[in-house]
């Protein structure tokens, strides 16, 4: 049996370039989601007269739908097994819900806890601070748990068939550990 080898070696530069592309796409989808979130929030608060946190939750829920479509079919279109879409959607909604709590928790703290109730203060709390914190969490959770598969172009090739998924992860981890420098012994000062 032939030892598995990667189809294309991955350098630090190629990994950083891929991450930069992923962040740019995630940011573009997020920018569209931000516009949707901002418009829906302000229509709910100022047009319909709903409470700020209720409006925030509605706006975030609409933006979550927009962002799922953008991330699934553009940012992470190369990832995922079509048979695992229900798992992916469940995780997306779970982590988006946590992001919703982060985003609207900041709004609730600002509006009700700190008494900052102007439209500008509500928009800054929700759409700048809350959304910023929620976005960092969402990016990490989506790439770590939701859209997690082999990076594009890194299929593992063996003599007869490709090895994917967990076998690739194990091989990658083993090669990373094998390349790591051995731990340096610590000096202990016996006079202390």
């Amino acid at each position: 049996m032939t030892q598995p080898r990667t189809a294309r070696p991955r350098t630090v530069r190629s990994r950083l370039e891929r991450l930069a592309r992923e962040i740019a796409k995630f940011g573009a989808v997020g920018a569209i989601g931000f516009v949707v979130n901002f418009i829906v929030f302000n229509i709910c608060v100022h047009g319909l007269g709903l409470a700020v946190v209720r409006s925030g939750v509605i706006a975030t829920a609409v933006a979550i739908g927009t962002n799922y479509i953008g991330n699934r079919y553009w940012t992470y279109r190369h990832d995922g097994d079509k048979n695992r879409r229900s798992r992916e959607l469940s995780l997306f909604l779970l982590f988006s819900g946590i992001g919703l709590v982060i985003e609207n928790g900041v709004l609730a703290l600002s509006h009700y806890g700190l008494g900052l109730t102007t439209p500008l203060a509500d928009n800054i709390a929700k759409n700048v601070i809350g959304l910023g914190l929620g976005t960092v969490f969402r990016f990490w959770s989506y790439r770590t748990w939701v859209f997690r598969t082999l990076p594009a172009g890194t299929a593992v090739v063996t003599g007869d068939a490709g090895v994917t998924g967990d076998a690739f992860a194990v091989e990658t981890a083993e090669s990373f550990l094998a390349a790591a420098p051995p731990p340096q012994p610590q000096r202990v000062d016996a006079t202390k």
Side-chain angles (χ1 to χ4, degrees):
M1 177 157 46
T2 307
Q3 287 291 331
R5 59 183 165 77
T6 58
R8 177 172 48 142
R10 305 233 15 221
T11 64
V12 172
R13 181 179 176 156
S14 70
R15 288 178 185 169
L16 290 174
E17 288 171 349
R18 182 175 188 275
L19 180 61
R21 281 190 305 273
E22 181 181 345
I23 289 171
K25 287 181 175 184
F26 186 86
V29 169
I32 293 167
F34 169 79
V35 171
V36 168
N37 198 333
F38 181 82
I39 290 170
V40 172
F41 175 72
N42 283 290
I43 288 173
C44 288
V45 171
H46 304 295
L48 302 176
L50 298 176
V52 292
V53 174
R54 180 175 295 141
S55 298
V57 170
I58 292 168
T60 304
V62 173
I64 286 170
T66 304
N67 290 348
Y68 178 76
I69 292 168
N71 282 315
R72 160 54 25 234
Y73 296 105
W74 188 48
T75 308
Y76 300 104
R77 74 171 171 234
H78 59 280
D79 293 345
D81 177 355
K82 292 191 188 307
N83 298 326
R84 296 176 45 192
R85 289 284 165 90
S86 62
R87 176 190 172 277
E88 173 189 282
L89 181 58
S90 298
L91 287 172
F92 183 88
L93 292 173
L94 171 70
F95 291 120
S96 293
I98 294 169
L100 180 145
V101 170
I102 293 168
E103 181 178 326
N104 291 288
V106 171
L107 173 62
L109 176 66
S110 169
H111 191 87
Y112 298 112
L114 301 175
L116 303 172
T117 59
T118 66
L120 180 62
D122 288 341
N123 274 288
I124 289 173
K126 181 186 184 330
N127 294 315
V128 177
I129 300 169
L131 189 60
L133 294 172
T135 298
V136 170
F137 171 77
R138 287 179 184 111
F139 179 75
W140 170 81
S141 62
Y142 294 169
R143 78 182 316 266
T144 304
W145 300 103
V146 179
F147 298 110
R148 180 177 65 122
T149 62
L150 291 176
T154 58
V156 176
V157 180
T158 62
D160 300 327
V163 178
T164 60
D166 294 337
F168 179 79
V170 169
E171 178 190 349
T172 302
E174 288 174 346
S175 66
F176 176 78
L177 292 173
Q184 298 296 321
Q186 299 290 327
R187 288 183 56 151
V188 178
D189 188 359
T191 60
K192 289 188 178 181

